[in-house]
Amino acid sequence: MQILRPEIIVRRAINSQEGETDPWLLDITGPNLNSLIGRRGETLNALQYITRLISSRELQHRANIVVDAAGYKAKRSRMLHDLALRMADQASRTKRTVALEPMPPYERRIVHMALRTREDVQTKSVGEGNSRKVTIVPR
């Protein structure tokens, strides 16, 4: 009987932000990765935090590392980008502020970056701690 194990592919991610160095991507593939991802990616985020912490200590400078499993973060990023565009259209059309659900900082950043070039809306992060969320305000 063959035991299937997760595989980790390490590569340089392609970053579209100017002035930022491209992060290293540790892409985990294999069967049954749901427990590694956790509820809304929380376990995966904790694994990424620990990986960055250990690597930064060893390297003596900040390690820019992204840990993804089964393409979860890439799918979530695309979904948040599409959501941001839809909600911006709604805010612009109705001339009302749209508040998104509370999100961790990296997800809020995806929304802000998706809408940064739009002239009909602006984004703001409001709230504290785990309740912090993005609002899309029509101009």
Side-chain angles (χ1 to χ4, degrees), residues 96-114:
R96 292 180 175 223
T97 298
V98 174
L100 302 180
E101 65 187 33
M103 299 175 196
Y106 78 93
E107 289 187 354
R108 290 195 310 272
R109 185 171 192 275
I110 292 167
V111 174
H112 289 302
M113 297 303 284

Side-chain angles (χ1 to χ4, degrees), residues 11-25 52 62 64-66 77 109-110 113 116:
R11 63 182 169 86
R12 208 50 143 156
I14 299 171
N15 191 356
S16 61
Q17 316 317 322
E18 286 185 33
E20 294 184 13
T21 57
D22 295 336
W24 286 99
L25 176 64
R52 282 182 171 178
R62 184 180 175 274
N64 192 3
I65 299 170
V66 174
S77 178
R109 185 171 192 275
I110 292 167
M113 297 303 284
R116 71 178 176 196

Side-chain angles (χ1 to χ4, degrees), residues 52-63:
R52 282 182 171 178
L53 196 64
I54 293 168
S55 300
S56 295
R57 180 170 282 176
E58 287 294 314
L59 295 170
Q60 296 296 309
H61 64 83
R62 184 180 175 274

Side-chain angles (χ1 to χ4, degrees), residues 2-3 6 21 51 70 78-79 86 90 99 122 125 133 136:
Q2 182 181 359
I3 298 174
T21 57
T51 302
R78 280 191 302 277
M79 191 275 307
R86 283 195 319 273
Q90 178 183 329
Q122 65 182 11
S125 286
K133 56 188 166 186
I136 304 170

Side-chain angles (χ1 to χ4, degrees), residues 21-71:
T21 57
D22 295 336
W24 286 99
L25 176 64
L26 284 84
D27 196 7
I28 305 167
T29 60
N32 304 324
L33 295 176
N34 289 341
S35 60
L36 183 63
I37 295 168
R39 186 179 147 267
R40 298 192 65 190
E42 290 173 354
T43 306
L44 194 56
N45 290 336
L47 180 61
Q48 177 175 297
Y49 175 76
I50 292 168
T51 302
R52 282 182 171 178
L53 196 64
I54 293 168
S55 300
S56 295
R57 180 170 282 176
E58 287 294 314
L59 295 170
Q60 296 296 309
H61 64 83
R62 184 180 175 274
N64 192 3
I65 299 170
V66 174
V67 178
D68 197 0

Side-chain angles (χ1 to χ4, degrees), residues 1 8 10 31 38 48 55-57 65 67 72 76 80 87-88 90 94 109-110 117 119 123 128 130 132 137:
M1 182 168 127
I8 301 173
V10 180
Q48 177 175 297
S55 300
S56 295
R57 180 170 282 176
I65 299 170
V67 178
Y72 172 82
R76 179 79 175 150
L80 287 170
M87 294 298 103
Q90 178 183 329
T94 63
R109 185 171 192 275
I110 292 167
T117 59
E119 294 184 11
T123 59
E128 298 293 323
N130 292 337
R132 198 153 169 84
V137 183

